[in-house]
Amino acid sequence: PPHFHVIRAGDDAEIRIADFAVEKGSISRQDHLAVTAWGRRHQAELALNWVLARAGLPMMEIPHP
């Protein structure tokens, strides 16, 4: 499923774009809450980047904290 990667403090996780659930790996609860809040603000851009990446095209930069 469409996802993005989060790497933080030695943790690595794949987060689904549709519902921000952890698909693989793990991150702390606090980081997951922060990623979910950020992801909700940028969900459309994340989904578009997924399509671009799958097509082998350059992705848009999405601001992050």
Side-chain angles (χ1 to χ4, degrees):
H3 66 275
F4 59 97
H5 294 255
V6 174
I7 300 170
R8 171 107 168 109
D11 292 329
D12 187 356
E14 291 181 9
I15 308 294
R16 285 194 311 245
I17 294 171
D19 59 4
F20 305 104
V22 175
E23 184 72 21
K24 289 183 185 175
S26 65
I27 56 175
S28 72
R29 177 170 166 69
Q30 181 179 357
D31 286 341
H32 188 237
L33 290 171
V35 165
T36 298
W38 172 84
R40 287 187 177 136
R41 291 190 307 271
H42 298 285
Q43 195 166 20
E45 295 100 321
L46 289 164
L48 177 57
N49 270 352
W50 174 262
V51 172
L52 293 171
R54 299 292 288 177
L57 298 170
M59 294 185 291
M60 302 178 337
E61 186 170 332
I62 301 173
H64 53 69

